[in-house]
C-alpha cells in the first residue's frame, strides 16, 4: 500500500516512517511511503505557503496554488489515490475507517497547518476529510501519522500473524484484558494466581471475564452498541444478581452494618 503525505514538515513524517513497525512495513514492501514538501511547490524566492485570511481575523490560511501543485505531483505517483485532508471538520477516525482505508492501494494525505486550507482546495481537490476527534491540534501531521499507523498494522504480514485475529478486537468492541509479565510480585502486588497456573482454559476464561469487567467499568458505551456473547450475558446477569443482593442487604436495615469498617 502506498502513502503520499503532503506537508510543510516533511521531517516529522520521515521520522515516523524510520523506526519500529512502520520501518519494518516499508522494508518488507507492505508499505511504500512518499513525502512531498508543499514548500517545494510554492513560488518566489521565499516559497511562501500561507497568507492572510480574506475578511480579516487572526491566523493564516494555506494558499491554494502550492497545495494544488503538490497534489498534482502526488497524483503522478499515485493516480488512483483519493486525496484525504486531515482536518477538524472531517469524519471521526475509528477502527472501521482504518479497515476501510487498509483495503486501498494508495492514499494521498494532505496535512493542513495554520487555521486551515483555502476552502476552494477542500471543495475541489479533496475527496474527503478525516478528524481524530474533538480536540485542537496544531496541524494535520500527527493525525496523518495516526491514520497511517492504524492502517499499516492491518496490512497482511505487517504484524507477523498473517490473518491478524486482532482485527476484530476493537470491532468486536471490547477493551483488552490486563497484561502481566515477570516478576510474579512487584512492589508487593501479585500477578493473578490463575495466570501462573498453566491451565489454558481457565486463563482464557479469566481473560474474557477481565475484558468484560474492564469494558463495563471503563467503557460501558461499547457494551451498549455491540452484541453480547452468551457467556458475556451470563456473566453480566450473575453480576447483576449479586449487586441486587448487596442492595437488598443494605435496604433491609443492614445484615452487615460495619460503619467505616475495613
Ligand atoms: C479558531 C479555531 N481553530 C483554532 C483553534 C480552528 C483550528 C484550525 C486548525 C483547529 C485546529 C487546526 C489544526 N488541526 C488539524 O489540522 C487537525 C485536527 C485537529 O485539530 N483535531 C483533530 N483532528 C485533526 S485532523 C487535523
Amino acid at each position: 500500500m502506498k502513502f503520499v503525505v503532503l506537508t510543510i514538515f516533511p521531517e516529522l513524517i520521515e521520522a515516523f516512517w524510520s523506526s519500529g513497525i512502520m520501518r519494518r512495513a516499508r522494508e518488507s514492501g507492505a508499505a511504500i511511503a512518499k513525502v512531498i514538501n508543499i514548500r517545494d511547490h510554492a513560488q518566489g524566492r521565499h516559497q511562501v505557503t500561507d497568507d492572510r485570511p480574506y475578511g480579516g481575523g487572526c491566523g493564516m490560511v494555506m494558499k491554494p496554488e502550492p497545495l494544488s501543485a503538490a497534489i498534482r505531483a502526488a497524483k503522478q505517483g499515485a493516480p488512483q489515490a483519493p486525496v484525504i485532508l486531515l482536518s477538524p471538520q472531517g469524519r471521526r477516525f475509528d477502527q472501521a475507517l482504518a479497515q476501510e482505508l487498509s483495503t486501498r492501494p494508495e492514499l494521498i494525505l494532505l496535512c493542513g497547518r495554520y487555521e486551515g486550507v483555502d476552502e476552494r482546495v477542500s471543495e475541489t481537490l479533496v475527496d474527503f476529510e478525516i478528524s481524530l476527534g474533538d480536540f485542537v491540534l496544531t496541524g494535520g501531521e500527527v493525525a496523518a501519522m495516526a491514520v497511517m499507523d492504524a492502517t499499516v498494522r492491518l496490512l497482511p504480514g505487517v504484524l507477523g500473524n498473517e490473518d491478524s485475529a486482532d482485527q476484530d478486537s476493537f470491532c468486536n468492541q471490547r477493551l483488552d484484558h490486563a497484561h502481566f509479565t515477570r516478576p510474579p510480585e512487584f512492589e508487593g502486588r501479585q500477578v493473578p494466581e490463575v495466570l501462573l497456573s498453566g491451565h489454558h482454559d481457565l486463563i482464557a476464561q479469566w481473560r474474557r471475564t477481565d475484558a468484560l469487567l474492564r469494558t463495563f467499568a471503563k467503557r460501558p458505551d461499547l457494551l451498549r452498541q455491540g452484541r453480547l456473547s452468551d457467556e458475556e450475558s451470563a456473566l453480566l446477569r450473575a453480576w447483576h444478581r449479586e449487586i441486587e443482593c448487596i442492595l437488598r442487604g443494605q435496604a433491609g436495615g443492614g445484615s452487615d452494618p460495619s460503619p467505616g469498617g475495613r
Side-chain angles (χ1 to χ4, degrees), residues 35-164:
V35 185
I36 291 179
N37 188 347
I38 294 166
R39 192 174 296 281
D40 290 344
H41 296 271
Q43 299 301 305
R45 200 165 68 83
H46 297 289
Q47 297 190 292
V48 173
T49 58
D50 61 330
D51 203 348
R52 292 154 58 209
Y54 276 123
C58 51
M60 299 293 270
V61 177
M62 291 188 90
K63 290 168 65 62
E65 305 94 325
L67 292 175
S68 166
I71 290 169
R72 213 175 312 117
K75 282 186 167 169
Q76 292 198 330
Q80 324 169 59
V83 177
I84 303 173
L85 175 65
L86 288 308
S87 99
Q89 284 81 43
R91 164 174 167 190
R92 170 74 150 279
F93 190 61
D94 61 12
Q95 193 63 21
L97 184 48
Q99 303 254 25
E100 240 174 275
L101 295 179
S102 71
T103 68
R104 304 274 201 148
E106 303 169 343
L107 298 178
I108 296 172
L109 299 172
L110 171 57
C111 306
R113 277 272 153 179
Y114 320 115
E115 287 307 301
V117 306
D118 186 287
E119 189 68 15
R120 293 162 295 183
V121 169
S122 32
E123 280 177 344
T124 64
L125 300 175
V126 168
D127 294 298
F128 59 97
E129 304 183 27
I130 295 177
S131 164
L132 287 193
D134 296 336
F135 49 88
V136 181
L137 299 173
T138 58
E141 284 78 8
V142 164
M145 290 188 261
V147 167
M148 292 189 288
D149 193 289
T151 304
V152 163
R153 63 180 290 289
L154 295 176
L155 297 176
V158 167
L159 290 189
N161 46 329
E162 198 70 25
D163 59 335
S164 186

Side-chain angles (χ1 to χ4, degrees), residues 152-194:
V152 163
R153 63 180 290 289
L154 295 176
L155 297 176
V158 167
L159 290 189
N161 46 329
E162 198 70 25
D163 59 335
S164 186
D166 145 271
Q167 282 189 347
D168 338 52
S169 90
F170 230 93
C171 300
N172 98 41
Q173 313 272 29
R174 299 293 175 269
L175 300 183
D176 208 355
H177 56 75
H179 297 269
F180 299 89
T181 186
R182 293 182 295 177
E185 186 196 317
F186 173 70
E187 294 184 352
R189 301 178 65 84
Q190 305 285 336
V191 172
E193 194 71 45
V194 62

